[in-house]
Amino acid sequence: MKAHDGMYIDGTWRPATGTGTLTVLNPADEQPIGEVPAGDAQDIDAAVRAARTALPSWSATPPAERAALIGALRDRLVARKREIAETVTAELGAPLAFSEAVHAGVPILVSGSYAELAATYAFEERVGNSTVYLEPVGVVGAITPWNYPLHQIVNKVAPALAAGCTVVLKPAEDTPLTAQLFAEATHEAGIPAGVFNLVTGLGPVAGQALAEHEGVDLVSFTGSTAVGKQIGATAGAAVKRVALELGGKSANVILPSADLAKAVNVGVANVMSNSGQTCSAWTRILVHTDQYDEAVELATTAAAKYGPRIGPVVNAKQQARVRGYIEKGVEEGARIVAGGPESLQERGYYVQPTVFADVTPEMTIAQEEIFGPVISLIRYADEDDALRIANGTVYGLAGAVWAADDAEAIAFARRMDTGQVDINGGGFNPLAPFGGYKQSGVGRELGAHGLAEYLQTKSLQF
C-alpha cells in the first residue's frame, strides 16, 4: 500500500501539525518502504477531541447497529486479506504464508467474533430492585505494538467499538502502514467520523501525550512491562483506567507421562513462530531430568529445520538485543546446542533459531523476556520442582502443559500462576480471555471478558 502523509482524524486524512516523519524499513533487506508523519501532542489532542465529539452519538447507537458496522469492518478486512499480509510482511518481515494465515487471518476471526458478541451481549440486567446497566467507559487511547500489528489493533478497537466507546489509536512506529490500512478499512466500512482515529508517531511523544490526555478515559496498552509500568503510573495519577498486556516468560512443562517428541516439536514451533516475537511464546521448556538428554536432541533437531524458514526480527535494535541475550546465556554457563549469536545473512535483521541446554532457573535467559527465536531447556526433579520453576519469574502470561491425559495436565496447570495455559496442544480460541498474572499485565482481551474491559457499571434502584 502507499503510505498516507497525514493522520486519520474525524473521518478524514489531514496533515500532521509538525513536519517530522518516520521512515519504515523492511527488516529483511533494511530498505525503506514508506514514510509516515510523526505526530505530536497537538495531533493527539485533535484526535481525542474528535473522539469525544463522536462519543454521545456512538454510545447511543443500538448495539445491533454497532454490530453490523463491526461486521462490515470484518468484511473489508476479508477483502483486503492479501494486501494486509503483504503489508505486514514488508513491515515486520514475517513470511508471507504466516502473514496471510495469522497476521491477516486471526484479526478477521476476532473482528467477526465481536460483531456477533455486540449483537447478543447483555448490556443490562435486573438484580433485585435494581437495574444494572453496562455503559461504555468513554474515549479509549489504544497503544499497540509491532509484533502482531493488526491483531493487536483489532483486539482493542473491535471490543471498544462494540461497547460503544470511541478510539484514538497510536500504533508502533515500526509498523504504521498496517495501521493506516486498518483506518482505510474502518472508513470503507462506514464507521462514523470521529469514532475511530489514528495518529502515527513515537511512543515517548505521541504515545505519552495520549496516555496523559485528560480527555482519554481508558488507556489500553500492549508492549513491554517497563513501558506498561510508566503508563500505569501516569494513569494512576489521573485515576484513569488501564488495560495492560505486557511481557511474558512462559513455561512449556512436559510431564514424564507425555509424548516427549510431540511436546518438544510443538514447543519449538511455538517459539519460532513470528521469529520468536510473541509475548506468550513458551520460551522455557521444562523437562524431567530422566528425559532431559533426549529432549535436548529433539529440540536441536527441530530448531535446525527453522533456519531458512523464519523471517528477521523487526529492527536493528531488536537484533542486537536478542544477540546480547544469547551472549549472556553463554557467559552465565548455558550451552548452545543450536544456532548462536552470529547472523548467517549479510543483510537484514536476522537471528538464528537458538536452543540452550544446561540452563538453570536463575540465569538471565530463563528470567527475562528475550523476544526472539531463543529457547531455554531446563531440567526438573519432580512435579513440585517443575511448578516452582514454572512460577519462578515475575511474569505470568501463558504456558503449556503436556501429559498422558488431559486431567493430569489440567491438575498441574491449575497450580500455575499464569493467565492462559494450553493443555496437550490445545488450539487458539478467539473467545477465551487472554491476559496475565503478576507483571504480565492488568485486564483481559478477547471474547466477552475483552468487551467487559471497555464497560463501566451503573445501577438504578426502583
Side-chain angles (χ1 to χ4, degrees), residues 254 256 260 287-295 378-382:
I254 306 175
L260 183 64
V287 185
H288 190 274
T289 187
D290 291 344
Q291 299 173 312
Y292 188 79
D293 290 342
E294 184 182 356
I378 304 172
R379 66 178 79 229
Y380 66 83
D382 53 35

Side-chain angles (χ1 to χ4, degrees), residues 6 13 33 44 75 86 93 97 109 143 177 185-186 197 203 248 263 375 397:
W13 293 94
I33 57 173
I44 290 293
D75 292 343
E86 291 172 347
L109 189 65
I143 304 174
L177 302 182
T186 66
N197 307 274
I375 295 172
L397 186 56

Side-chain angles (χ1 to χ4, degrees), residues 368-391:
E368 298 185 10
E369 185 176 45
I370 297 172
F371 227 58
V374 181
I375 295 172
S376 294
L377 279 156
I378 304 172
R379 66 178 79 229
Y380 66 83
D382 53 35
E383 283 198 17
D384 288 340
D385 190 36
L387 185 68
R388 176 187 63 81
I389 295 169
N391 290 340

Side-chain angles (χ1 to χ4, degrees), residues 348-425:
Y349 308 123
Y350 289 90
V351 177
Q352 294 185 70
T354 300
V355 176
F356 277 103
D358 302 335
V359 178
T360 57
E362 69 279 1
M363 287 181 178
T364 301
I365 59 172
Q367 288 291 320
E368 298 185 10
E369 185 176 45
I370 297 172
F371 227 58
V374 181
I375 295 172
S376 294
L377 279 156
I378 304 172
R379 66 178 79 229
Y380 66 83
D382 53 35
E383 283 198 17
D384 288 340
D385 190 36
L387 185 68
R388 176 187 63 81
I389 295 169
N391 290 340
T393 76
V394 299
Y395 299 111
L397 186 56
V401 183
W402 302 80
D405 62 78
D406 289 351
E408 181 185 1
I410 290 169
F412 187 95
R414 290 296 305 273
R415 296 195 291 159
M416 294 173 70
D417 297 334
T418 192
Q420 189 173 82
V421 185
D422 290 352
I423 302 299
N424 287 326

Side-chain angles (χ1 to χ4, degrees), residues 227-244:
V227 176
K229 288 178 179 179
Q230 295 173 9
I231 290 174
T234 297
V239 196
K240 182 181 301 185
R241 282 176 55 180
V242 295
L244 305 173

Side-chain angles (χ1 to χ4, degrees), residues 5 7 16-23 35-40 43 200-201:
D5 59 2
M7 310 299 186
T17 58
T19 58
T21 59
L22 303 173
T23 299
E35 193 171 77
V36 301
D40 57 19
D43 296 304
T200 53

